[in-house]
């Protein structure tokens, strides 16, 4: 039946099963599960902030604000280039779309490189998750609230960095699909949803950066 | 079907650049305000600025402003559900 409908509209039969509205709803439902994932950790953060306000402020003061701000600018800029990549694809400017997605991936890599430098410095100063043997003796000297703050810091920033890695790989996939003609101006869904995921990664960081770096 | 009819909401580049400029400026405001002693207002202020930034990203980068009403509705349901989690949790912890 659907093939008959598709042929009546002059499309190839296999295209009859495209359902952009359905897949878009599915993508947003997936994004809501991400809100639940990060949201619950944010609630834990809120409760412990309330319980250990001074410890949290002291520990937050040890984070490097310029590095955090630099990563914020990198991520916001990558969100811009991703949005422009989708706009370019809609305007049938395939080459420009690919170039803008390449810049987005470079921003993802830059974010991770900066994060690596930041965390190396922290590890060098024996600041790490207190559950790891390498850090346990030094972290044990700190008050409970500071240990919880750094535990949350490495958990939240770590899960976020994992999302940056996954998002970067997804954008590489999107580039491959555009290059091979699977994603085009009239079939842009894969690229659009990759963009939605990338913007969500940005959204999480918009809350993470001030709550981790700027509370003291 | 024309290009425009298929995609009625291709935003001009200037809109995206304006949103990005706003986001960077608000980041500057948050970092700058950090060096002003606001005491108990500091964290509420952080949350307000972050929420303005998040709204900009949702409306323009994620195109929610131009989607069918179903999508903003789904987002509101998610946020209200999350707000219930938050209120229930803190109604416990704040009054122990």
């Amino acid at each position: 039946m659907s093939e008959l409908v598709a042929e009546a509209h002059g499309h190839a039969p296999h295209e009859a099963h495209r359902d952009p509205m359905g897949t878009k709803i599915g993508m947003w439902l997936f994004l809501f599960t991400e809100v639940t994932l990060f949201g619950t950790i944010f609630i834990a953060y809120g409760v412990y902030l309330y319980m250990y306000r001074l410890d949290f402020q002291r520990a937050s003061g040890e984070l490097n604000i310029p590095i955090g701000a630099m990563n914020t600018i990198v991520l916001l800029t990558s969100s811009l280039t991703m949005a422009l990549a989708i706009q370019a694809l809609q305007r049938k400017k395939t080459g420009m779309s690919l170039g803008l997605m390449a810049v987005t991936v470079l921003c993802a890599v830059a974010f991770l490189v900066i994060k690596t430098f930041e965390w190396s410095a922290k590890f060098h100063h024996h600041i790490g998750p207190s559950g790891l043997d390498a850090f346990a003796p030094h972290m044990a000297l700190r008050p409970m609230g500071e240990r919880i703050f750094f535990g949350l810091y490495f958990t939240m920033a770590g899960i976020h960095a994992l999302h940056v890695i996954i998002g970067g790989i997804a954008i590489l996939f999107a580039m491959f699909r555009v290059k091979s003609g699977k994603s085009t101006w009239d079939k842009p869904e894969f690229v659009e949803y990759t963009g939605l995921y990338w913007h969500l990664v940005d959204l999480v960081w918009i809350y993470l950066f001030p709550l981790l770096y700027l509370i003291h | 079907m024309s290009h425009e009819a298929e995609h009625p909401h291709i935003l001009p580049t200037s809109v995206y650049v304006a949103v990005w400029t706003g986001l960077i400026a608000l980041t500057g405001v948050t970092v700058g305000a950090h060096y002003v002693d606001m005491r108990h207002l500091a964290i509420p202020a952080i949350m307000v600025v972050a929420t303005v930034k998040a709204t900009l990203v949702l409306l323009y980068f994620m195109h929610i402003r131009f989607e069918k009403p179903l999508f903003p509705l789904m987002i509101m349901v998610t946020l209200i559900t999350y707000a219930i989690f938050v209120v229930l949790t803190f109604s416990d912890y704040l009054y122990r």
Side-chain angles (χ1 to χ4, degrees):
Chain A
M1 177 63 202
S2 59
E3 289 183 10
L4 287 175
V5 172
E7 278 174 35
H9 285 82
H11 290 293
H14 70 273
E15 283 189 71
H17 300 292
R18 283 183 66 235
D19 179 8
M21 186 67 177
T23 53
K24 187 181 281 179
I25 292 172
M27 185 63 201
W28 275 98
L29 290 176
F30 165 66
L31 294 183
F32 297 152
T33 70
E34 295 278 27
V35 172
T36 324
L37 166 67
F38 285 103
T40 45
I41 314 179
F42 273 112
I43 290 177
Y45 173 93
V47 168
Y48 285 120
L49 173 68
Y50 170 71
M51 291 169 72
Y52 298 103
R53 182 81 178 229
L54 291 175
D55 283 353
F56 265 49
Q57 290 179 334
R58 262 197 303 272
S60 168
E62 293 180 52
L63 298 185
N64 189 326
I65 294 175
I67 280 197
M70 205 196 310
N71 257 347
T72 306
I73 292 169
V74 168
L75 265 199
L76 291 174
T77 306
S78 75
S79 251
L80 171 70
T81 55
M82 190 65 209
L84 289 176
I86 293 162
Q87 183 223 41
L89 185 66
Q90 290 171 335
R91 288 180 169 172
K92 305 182 191 177
K93 294 177 185 166
T94 308
M96 189 185 232
S97 179
L98 283 171
L100 285 162
M101 278 193 269
V103 174
T104 312
V105 173
L106 284 178
C107 285
V109 172
F111 180 93
L112 293 168
V113 168
I114 293 169
K115 183 116 292 190
T116 306
F117 279 114
E118 184 186 18
W119 281 22
S120 302
K122 286 282 165 291
F123 295 159
H124 186 73
H125 290 107
H126 307 291
I127 297 171
S130 22
L132 295 181
D133 286 346
F135 302 110
H138 288 93
M139 295 305 285
L141 302 173
R142 290 171 174 271
M144 180 60 105
E146 291 190 17
R147 272 184 276 162
I148 293 174
F149 176 87
F150 282 114
L152 283 166
Y153 165 73
F154 285 107
T155 304
M156 295 167 104
I159 295 177
H160 178 265
L162 184 65
H163 279 74
V164 172
I165 295 169
I166 295 168
I169 293 169
I171 297 168
L172 286 176
F173 263 108
M175 289 174 69
F176 177 76
R177 284 183 60 98
V178 169
K179 208 164 173 64
S180 62
K182 285 192 180 117
S183 289
T184 51
W185 68 273
D186 58 345
K187 285 186 286 179
E189 287 84 17
F190 188 93
V191 184
E192 278 181 8
Y193 304 158
T194 305
L196 287 178
Y197 184 83
W198 191 250
H199 298 312
L200 182 96
V201 171
D202 195 17
L203 274 186
V204 171
W205 186 255
I206 282 174
Y207 284 96
L208 268 188
F209 166 61
L211 284 176
L212 291 176
Y213 292 74
L214 301 176
I215 55 166
H216 56 290
Chain B
M1 192 179 277
S2 77
H3 185 183
E4 275 66 33
E6 182 87 357
H7 289 287
H9 297 300
I10 299 182
L11 292 176
T13 305
S14 57
V15 171
Y16 290 114
V17 173
V19 170
W20 174 81
T21 310
L23 290 170
I24 297 286
L26 287 170
T27 305
V29 168
T30 318
V31 175
H34 169 66
Y35 298 101
V36 182
D37 189 4
M38 288 195 287
R39 295 185 183 276
H40 289 291
L41 282 176
I43 287 170
I46 278 173
M47 293 304 289
V48 169
V49 176
T51 302
V52 172
K53 288 168 74 178
T55 309
L56 280 174
V57 170
L58 269 170
L59 287 180
Y60 294 98
F61 285 174
M62 298 175 95
H63 287 259
I64 281 303
R65 204 181 152 185
F66 311 99
E67 295 289 357
K68 292 191 171 68
L70 172 67
F71 291 95
L73 183 70
M74 279 169 39
I75 291 172
M76 288 314 291
V77 170
T78 304
L79 293 182
I80 290 167
T81 310
Y82 182 62
I84 292 170
F85 290 170
V86 172
V87 168
L88 284 179
T89 307
F90 281 95
S91 65
D92 178 6
Y93 276 100
L94 297 186
Y95 296 102
R96 283 194 177 193

